[in-house]
Amino acid sequence: MKSQVDSNVSLRRLASAIALGAAVVLIVAKLWGWVATDSVALLTSAADAVVDALAATATFFGVRFAQHPADSEHRFGHGKGEALAAFTQAILLASTATVLAAQACWRLIYPQQVTAITLGIGIAVIGLATSSLLAAMQTWVVRRTGSTAIAADRAHYLMDAAVNGAVLIALALTSVTGWKRADPIFALIIAGCMIAGGRRVAEAASRQLLDQELSHEHRERIKAAAVACFGIRGVHDLRTRDAGDRVFVEFHLEVDGHVSVHDGHCMVDAAERAVAGLFTKETEVIGHLEPTGIEDDRLDDRVRRPRSR
């Protein structure tokens, strides 16, 4: 288990470093293409590449911050550093897209001729290939590690591939038809995709930052694993959260009232180990021992009550 965690840490670090390097290369290429062509679609793509670089930087440091061990001031660890990095990316995407959409609208009203189209097409093709390869690499890393920050970065590069495809179509259409408004129209489409992508990334990061429960399927598996252990009669007040690099699980375990403290402790340990074994991430499980049938104030009852408005 420890070697797998170490392997996941290395994969996160490598993926974030590769993404950061590729983002810098794409920025230089796309800015050069925009200066040469004066294409607003290529400018939008270049701005997206700048956002990707800033996002990759946030991911680079967020992943490393998240891997710091727990300390006296952060006893749950630093895993939410990844979610913070992802949320930063979402803000960058949405704000940049808004500015570029305004520029595209201006070009729709006052269209300008695009020049050096062949160069722009070549840069778009290179950008499309690079973004696709990066997204494929990051997809594999996310499947292995479950990293929130890498997943957000992957969403950027999937969108970047679509952006480069849109630039390619815009420049090709302009070259064939000479229609000046094709370029800003596709720039608006790209800006819309950026805003939609930023929203998806923000939603995913918010679920982690706000300690949203794991899925119903995961919760049922946790309960089943605990109850399957010797001596456990029931489970209640289950609380879970995904902290990026690790999962936290807490529950109350019901056992017969005559069980000794020593035996009850062994039962809880067994249940905690069984639940931790369900996850590929590092998992911290805390079980609270209770005699079965006891009547007390329970979290399960409180969350089922209707909310007061």
Side-chain angles (χ1 to χ4, degrees), residues 233-251:
R233 305 300 183 205
V235 178
H236 65 268
D237 286 359
L238 170 63
R239 294 196 293 185
T240 63
R241 65 188 179 94
D242 186 346
D245 64 333
R246 69 193 66 197
V247 174
F248 290 95
V249 179
E250 182 180 343
F251 44 42

Side-chain angles (χ1 to χ4, degrees), residues 69-138:
D71 56 36
S72 61
E73 294 184 352
H74 305 88
R75 295 181 184 270
F76 287 100
H78 300 76
K80 288 188 179 181
E82 289 198 9
L84 285 172
F87 202 82
T88 300
Q89 295 175 36
I91 294 173
L92 289 170
L93 271 174
S95 57
T96 304
T98 301
V99 173
L100 293 171
Q103 175 68 15
C105 289
W106 182 263
R107 284 288 187 95
L108 272 175
I109 300 171
Y110 303 102
Q112 296 182 20
Q113 185 64 48
V114 177
T115 59
I117 293 178
T118 303
L119 173 63
I121 289 175
I123 291 173
V125 169
I126 294 172
L128 176 60
T130 304
S131 299
S132 299
L133 288 172
L134 279 170
M137 179 270 293
Q138 290 174 324

Side-chain angles (χ1 to χ4, degrees), residues 209-227:
L209 290 170
L210 296 174
D211 290 334
Q212 181 170 318
E213 286 287 326
L214 299 182
S215 67
H216 175 73
E217 291 74 17
H218 276 114
R219 287 174 55 83
E220 290 303 312
R221 288 175 60 204
I222 290 170
K223 291 178 182 177
V227 173

Side-chain angles (χ1 to χ4, degrees), residues 5 8-16 55-68 77-90 141-142 145-153 156 201-202 204-209 242-246 281:
V5 171
N8 288 347
V9 168
S10 299
L11 281 175
R12 284 185 173 119
R13 287 175 176 267
L14 179 61
S16 62
T57 302
T59 301
F60 184 86
F61 290 106
V63 164
R64 282 152 180 78
F65 177 80
Q67 290 161 4
H68 290 170
H78 300 76
K80 288 188 179 181
E82 289 198 9
L84 285 172
F87 202 82
T88 300
Q89 295 175 36
V141 173
V142 169
T145 68
S147 169
T148 305
I150 300 295
D153 218 25
H156 279 170
V201 171
S206 296
R207 284 194 292 271
Q208 186 172 314
L209 290 170
D242 186 346
D245 64 333
R246 69 193 66 197
K281 290 183 180 182

Side-chain angles (χ1 to χ4, degrees), residues 4-29:
Q4 184 176 1
V5 171
D6 292 339
S7 176
N8 288 347
V9 168
S10 299
L11 281 175
R12 284 185 173 119
R13 287 175 176 267
L14 179 61
S16 62
I18 291 173
L20 180 56
V24 173
V25 172
L26 287 174
I27 287 173
V28 174

